[in-house]
Amino acid sequence: MTRHRILVTLLLTILIPITAVLFHNYSAFGPVFRARFSQMAIKNMPPVIVVGAGLAGLSASYSAIQSGASVRLLERAPKPGGNSIKASSGINGAPTRFQNVEKFGVDENFWDDTTRSAGVRLNSASVSPAVKKQREKLITALTNYSASAIDFLTDLGVDLSVVAQLGGHSHPRTHRGAGKTPPGASIVTTLLTKLKEQGSDRFELVTDSEVTRLLTDKDAPKGAVKVTGVEYKNKQDGSTHLLHGPVVFTTGGFAGDTHGLLAKYRPDLDGLPSTNDPRPGAHTILSDVGAKLVDMDAVQIHPTGFVDPANPENPLKFLAAEMLRGEGGILLHKGKRVVNELQTREKVSNALMALPTKNEGSLRQWDVQLLLDPGATEAAAGHVGFYLWKGLLQKKKISELDEATRQTLKDYAAVAHGEKVDELGRKAFGHWRLTEQDVDMGEEEVCVGRVTPITHFTMGGAVFNIRAQILTAELGEEQEGKEIEGLWGAGEITGGLHGDNRLGGSSLLECVVFGRVAGEKAAKYRG
C-alpha cells in the first residue's frame, strides 16, 4: 500500500504541472482539471495528524488545510478546546489597528517586555550566548508575527476590538471582544466552525482518542529520528489504532498533572489548586523518541484563581482573569493593598504567597480579596456577569465594607485620579472611576471575590525552533541536523520561549503563531 501511494504521488507530481500548462489557456476547462487533480492528490496523501484540539491544534489544522492537506485531529478529551477555551484575558498583538495610537503612541515595546519577563533564564550573565540567541529568536518570531495573528483571527470573524493593559506590559496590547463571550471561547468556537465547513474529506475531529506513542522509521539514518505517525487508543471501547502521516503535537502543559510531572519537577507546589484539568502531561511521548525538554521546573503560578465560597476545597479553580486587574481591580489582604497589581504574574504571586496561608482540606490557599469599582466592573462586564452568576463575585455597597477597606479605596481613588503617587508603583488604572467622595457617601456598589494563587501554566516543554520543529538538541546546542523529521509542535507542550515567566495574553498568541507555522510545514512535508 505504501509503495502504491508513493507511485501515485510521483505520477500526480508529474501530471499536475503538465495538465495545468495544457489547459492554462482554456478558461472553461483549466480550473476544473486543476481542481480534480488537486483533490486526487489530497486523497492519496496521508493526512496531517494533529494531536490535541486546543487553540494550537486548531490553528495548525486550519493552516494545514489552507496549505492543501487533509487533517485528522485527535483529542483525548470528550470535547475539543482544551485549556484554550477557558482563556479569559485575551491575546497579545502589536502593533494592531485596534490599539489607541493617539492616546498611547505606537507600541514598539512588546519584544522588550517579553524578554524582561523571561527573567534570569534569558537575562542572567551566566546564560550562554547560544542559549540567549535561541531564546531571543523564538521571542522575535512570537512578537513579530503577533499583529498578523490578530489579523488572521479577525479576518475569520473573531471580535478582538477591545484592548487592555495587563501586568508586566508597558502598553495596552491584550485583545478581546466587546461582547460577553470570553476571548478563548470566541476564538476556539470560530476556528472549529471554519474547520467543520471544510467537509469530512478534508477535516476529521476524533475525540476520546489518546495518543500513546509516536511511530518512527526504524530504517532512518543512524543518529536521525523520523516520525511516521501515531498509535492512539479509543477511550470509549479501548481499541488501539495506528495512523500514518506527519504529526503536529499540541497537547498542552502539565500544570494539572499534580502527582505526575508536576510532582517530579516541582514537588514544592504540592497542594496548590490549579486552573487545569487533572490529567497527565504528554511530554514523555516526545522524549521517548529523543526530544529534549527544557525549563521543566518553570511553572507559572497565577496570582488569582477564584475560591468558590460554596466549595472552597475544590482543587480546580476558575481563573480570575488578569484583565480584571488591568481594568482597575485591586488585591486586598485584611483590607489593605499588598502589591502593584500590574506587575508580572510571578511578582504578584510571590507577594501574595508571602502572606499567611489559609489551609483548607488538602489545599494550600490564601485569603485575598479582589475588588472592582463600578468603572472596572462595567469595562469587564462580560466576565463579571459570568463570575456573578457562578457566585464567585458578590456585589456590595461601599457602606457594607470594613473600615480598613474603605480607607484603602479612598487612598487608591486619590492615586487613580492623579492626586498622589502610588506607594506600590502602579501607574495604570484601567477604567477605575470611584472618587474619595464616592467612598465617603458609601452608596456605590463594588464587586468583591476571594482569590488565591494557583498553578496555571508550565513554561517548560520540548525544545523547538522558529519553524516549529521538535529537536533532539538541548537548548543552546547546534540545532542543524537535530530536527525530528515529520514532527512539529506548538503551544504549551514546547519550551524555551517564555523563560521564567509568561506574559499574560501570550499563551493564546503562541498557539496561533507557532500552530500556523507547524500546520503549514506539516502540510508541505513529503516524507
Side-chain angles (χ1 to χ4, degrees), residues 150 155 167 185 388 422:
I150 299 297
D155 288 346
L388 287 168
D422 183 24

Side-chain angles (χ1 to χ4, degrees), residues 64 130 138 158 165 208 443 490:
L138 293 172
V158 181
Q165 181 174 343
D208 282 315
E443 291 302 309

Side-chain angles (χ1 to χ4, degrees), residues 314-392:
N314 187 348
L316 182 63
K317 305 295 188 188
F318 276 99
L319 186 72
E322 196 158 6
M323 54 80 64
L324 298 176
R325 288 176 281 131
E327 295 294 6
I330 56 176
L331 298 173
L332 307 173
H333 176 65
K334 295 184 177 180
K336 295 183 179 181
R337 292 176 63 223
V338 294
V339 67
N340 172 359
E341 295 85 359
L342 292 189
Q343 290 193 83
T344 63
R345 292 176 176 181
E346 180 182 27
K347 291 180 178 178
V348 177
S349 295
N350 287 343
L352 299 186
M353 293 173 75
L355 301 170
T357 58
K358 184 179 180 180
N359 294 339
E360 290 161 299
S362 61
L363 296 180
R364 281 194 295 149
Q365 301 188 140
W366 285 262
D367 194 10
V368 179
Q369 305 301 313
L370 170 67
L371 186 147
L372 290 83
D373 86 324
T377 298
E378 183 178 342
H383 291 70
V384 170
F386 173 76
Y387 298 141
L388 287 168
W389 175 69
K390 292 291 292 184
L392 303 172

Side-chain angles (χ1 to χ4, degrees), residues 93-109:
T96 73
R97 61 184 181 272
F98 301 113
Q99 291 178 290
N100 190 334
V101 176
E102 184 176 342
K103 182 176 181 180
F104 298 105
V106 177
D107 184 0
E108 300 177 339
N109 301 319

Side-chain angles (χ1 to χ4, degrees), residues 112-431:
D112 293 333
D113 289 347
T114 304
T115 55
R116 187 182 305 111
S117 178
V120 297
R121 292 173 196 261
L122 173 63
N123 302 306
S124 171
S126 62
V127 175
S128 74
V131 168
K132 186 178 180 70
K133 180 180 179 181
Q134 289 177 13
R135 289 192 190 273
E136 288 182 343
K137 285 180 71 173
L138 293 172
I139 292 172
T140 298
L142 179 79
T143 55
N144 282 359
Y145 290 105
S146 65
S148 65
I150 299 297
D151 289 339
F152 162 70
L153 293 173
T154 53
D155 288 346
L156 291 179
V158 181
D159 176 17
L160 296 172
S161 59
V162 178
V163 186
Q165 181 174 343
L166 305 189
H169 294 264
S170 62
H171 225 86
R173 64 171 70 96
T174 308
H175 297 63
R176 68 179 194 275
K180 294 184 178 181
T181 305
S186 178
I187 294 169
V188 165
T189 54
T190 298
L191 267 170
L192 273 171
T193 299
K194 294 294 182 182
L195 285 167
K196 290 176 181 177
E197 290 173 355
Q198 303 300 316
S200 59
D201 59 326
R202 300 292 305 279
F203 173 73
E204 183 180 1
L205 169 64
V206 187
T207 56
D208 282 315
S209 297
E210 184 158 18
V211 169
T212 52
R213 68 184 177 98
L214 294 171
L215 308 179
T216 56
D217 184 356
K218 293 182 172 58
D219 296 324
K222 186 177 180 179
V225 181
K226 180 179 179 180
V227 168
T228 59
V230 302
E231 176 188 84
Y232 70 94
K233 182 178 180 180
N234 183 299
K235 296 170 74 173
Q236 293 290 334
D237 60 19
S239 59
T240 298
H241 307 267
L242 301 182
L243 185 61
H244 296 275
V247 178
V248 179
F249 218 76
T250 57
T251 54
F254 60 93
D257 191 7
T258 305
H259 302 299
L261 291 179
L262 192 63
K264 177 180 179 180
Y265 291 103
R266 287 296 301 272
D268 58 304
L269 298 180
D270 182 44
L272 259 66
S274 179
T275 56
N276 293 2
D277 292 320
R279 60 187 184 187
H283 299 63
T284 52
I285 295 175
L286 296 178
S287 59
D288 283 346
V289 297
K292 297 299 183 182
L293 305 179
V294 66
D295 298 338
M296 293 295 282
D297 61 332
V299 178
Q300 185 171 78
I301 308 301
H302 195 289
T304 55
F306 277 116
V307 178
D308 186 348
N311 189 10
E313 295 183 24
N314 187 348
L316 182 63
K317 305 295 188 188
F318 276 99
L319 186 72
E322 196 158 6
M323 54 80 64
L324 298 176
R325 288 176 281 131
E327 295 294 6
I330 56 176
L331 298 173
L332 307 173
H333 176 65
K334 295 184 177 180
K336 295 183 179 181
R337 292 176 63 223
V338 294
V339 67
N340 172 359
E341 295 85 359
L342 292 189
Q343 290 193 83
T344 63
R345 292 176 176 181
E346 180 182 27
K347 291 180 178 178
V348 177
S349 295
N350 287 343
L352 299 186
M353 293 173 75
L355 301 170
T357 58
K358 184 179 180 180
N359 294 339
E360 290 161 299
S362 61
L363 296 180
R364 281 194 295 149
Q365 301 188 140
W366 285 262
D367 194 10
V368 179
Q369 305 301 313
L370 170 67
L371 186 147
L372 290 83
D373 86 324
T377 298
E378 183 178 342
H383 291 70
V384 170
F386 173 76
Y387 298 141
L388 287 168
W389 175 69
K390 292 291 292 184
L392 303 172
L393 282 176
Q394 293 82 37
K395 286 187 176 183
K396 292 184 178 182
K397 282 191 174 184
I398 293 175
S399 59
E400 299 172 357
L401 303 174
D402 61 73
E403 178 58 33
T405 301
R406 292 199 302 272
Q407 184 58 50
T408 295
L409 292 183
K410 290 180 68 174
D411 294 339
Y412 185 72
V415 169
H417 290 287
E419 297 170 16
K420 61 180 182 180
V421 176
D422 183 24
E423 294 179 354
L424 295 172
R426 182 164 178 166
K427 297 179 181 179
F429 307 97
H431 287 83

